[in-house]
Amino acid sequence: MRPRERILANLEQVYRAAYDQASAAEDKDRMHQLDASFQREQLILEVLLDIRDTMVTIGEADSSDGDHRGGGQLQFGAGEARGVAQADEASVTGYL
């Protein structure tokens, strides 16, 4: 699993490159749009990472208790979270 810091740094890197390009072109509207988009996407990504961290914690607690009944649901939930994250990643590249 990729660390939270690496994921957020990758998001910032993508937006920073686009922002620098807009800045070099003196495109103030694009710079404003990228800034707002970055803040929104960062917030969404942080919420998804919080959900991921919570699910991992719950999964570890289930494993330590020897209770494996909820494991299938946890894995399904993690797959759904990955799908949402991939969809958000695709929307980020759509802004660039």
Side-chain angles (χ1 to χ4, degrees), residues 26-43:
E26 298 181 6
D27 187 347
K28 301 278 187 210
D29 290 334
R30 182 73 175 140
M31 291 166 61
H32 178 70
Q33 178 190 22
L34 286 165
D35 186 47
S37 296
F38 172 74
Q39 290 179 40
R40 184 185 70 246
E41 295 296 330
Q42 184 180 32
L43 180 61

Side-chain angles (χ1 to χ4, degrees), residues 45-70:
L45 190 54
E46 287 179 357
V47 168
L48 290 170
L49 289 169
D50 288 345
I51 292 168
R52 178 193 73 173
D53 293 346
T54 300
M55 292 170 59
V56 167
T57 302
I58 291 169
E60 289 171 353
D62 285 348
S63 295
S64 67
D65 292 341
D67 181 7
H68 299 289
R69 290 174 286 170

Side-chain angles (χ1 to χ4, degrees), residues 2-34:
R2 292 185 292 166
R4 172 184 291 262
E5 294 78 23
R6 179 177 163 204
I7 294 169
L8 293 171
N10 287 343
L11 176 69
E12 184 175 354
Q13 180 182 7
V14 167
Y15 271 101
R16 176 72 54 198
Y19 187 88
D20 289 346
Q21 187 178 21
S23 179
E26 298 181 6
D27 187 347
K28 301 278 187 210
D29 290 334
R30 182 73 175 140
M31 291 166 61
H32 178 70
Q33 178 190 22
L34 286 165

